[in-house]
Amino acid sequence: MMKQTLLCALMLTFATLPAGAANLVKTYSYFSVGGRTLGDIQNQLSKNGPEVKSTGSRHPGATKMAFTTRISYAQSAGSCRIADAAVTVKVKVILPEWRRPRKSDADVRLFWDTLSADIKRHEERHVEIAKNHARLLEDALKAAPPQKTCEQAKAKAAAIQAAELAMHDQDQVRFDRVEGVNFESRILRLMRYRMQRVQAGQLPPP
């Protein structure tokens, strides 16, 4: 069963830089998968897929991400507040790319098309979860109440970030857990749907 674990390196930076808006920077990279049969493809995914440090194993796809938070502070008589905040999440989506043999069975091609599309959808959902939490983090920082000193304001900002990123990690793990449980039934359902569309002429033959 495909179980994908998020690769997540969280980098938090404080700076007095101009404020922006919650921003997403996304890149893609691909690893090669060879083979002619379903067994070959499975072995290639296990051998060449990205290694997840938290599990020590390789997975058919992964998303690496880093959060960067930039905060500016405004001090006045007796108080210090967060004047503005900008959160950027940088993600790198790692996906498989099948070097399809010239002669490969139609059922293998159908399975690959279905599986690779599901892997991409899965990783894109990880990206969406991260982006949503980046926006929530930015909003929470901007709404933080003033503190007596800027040191206290910075400590408050750090607490807000820690709480929001903890919720982010929980949401990512929860998503993986649900996806893992439903993987087999989902792939079979998607394959039936694709085959019906092929037979109806709505998709080219695999």
Side-chain angles (χ1 to χ4, degrees):
M1 179 178 293
M2 179 184 68
K3 291 185 179 179
Q4 303 179 28
T5 304
L6 176 69
L7 298 176
C8 192
L10 302 177
M11 300 187 298
L12 306 178
T13 305
F14 294 93
T16 54
L17 298 177
N23 187 38
L24 173 69
V25 179
K26 180 168 60 174
T27 59
Y28 293 89
S29 68
Y30 299 86
F31 63 94
S32 296
V33 174
R36 186 181 300 275
T37 68
L38 297 181
D40 291 339
I41 291 174
Q42 182 178 1
N43 291 335
Q44 287 281 300
L45 288 172
S46 300
K47 178 181 177 181
N48 298 333
E51 184 176 358
V52 178
K53 293 182 180 179
S54 60
T55 63
S57 59
R58 295 184 177 275
H59 295 262
T63 301
K64 295 181 178 180
M65 59 189 64
F67 288 85
T68 302
T69 305
R70 298 177 177 179
I71 303 173
S72 61
Y73 298 89
Q75 189 170 13
S76 58
S79 69
C80 183
R81 63 182 178 83
I82 295 176
D84 217 330
V87 179
T88 298
V89 57
K90 295 182 179 180
V91 301
K92 179 180 181 181
V93 180
I94 305 172
L95 299 171
E97 187 173 52
W98 185 31
R99 293 181 296 179
R100 180 179 297 182
R102 291 184 178 180
K103 294 182 179 180
S104 55
D105 293 340
D107 58 345
V108 177
R109 296 196 301 270
L110 175 64
F111 179 82
W112 173 258
D113 290 344
T114 305
L115 177 63
S116 59
D118 190 67
I119 293 172
K120 187 174 189 298
R121 175 206 57 80
H122 179 97
E123 299 307 328
E124 293 291 355
R125 178 54 183 156
H126 276 308
V127 174
E128 184 180 343
I129 291 171
K131 186 177 180 180
N132 288 340
H133 279 278
R135 186 179 66 253
L136 291 172
L137 173 56
E138 187 173 284
D139 291 344
L141 288 168
K142 291 178 179 179
Q147 304 294 313
K148 291 183 178 181
T149 67
C150 284
E151 288 302 317
Q152 291 176 336
K154 290 179 181 180
K156 181 65 175 178
I160 291 172
Q161 290 179 94
E164 186 60 47
L165 291 175
M167 288 189 288
H168 162 266
D169 291 349
Q170 292 171 7
D171 282 349
Q172 298 283 19
V173 171
R174 186 180 303 111
F175 171 66
D176 269 332
R177 186 182 302 119
V178 172
E179 289 276 291
V181 170
N182 297 327
F183 172 70
E184 291 183 357
S185 60
R186 184 175 66 253
I187 291 298
L188 290 174
R189 184 175 66 253
L190 290 172
M191 287 186 66
R192 286 195 296 267
Y193 175 71
R194 280 179 173 266
M195 181 57 70
Q196 289 170 359
R197 293 191 64 187
V198 169
Q199 292 173 347
Q202 297 174 341
L203 284 178

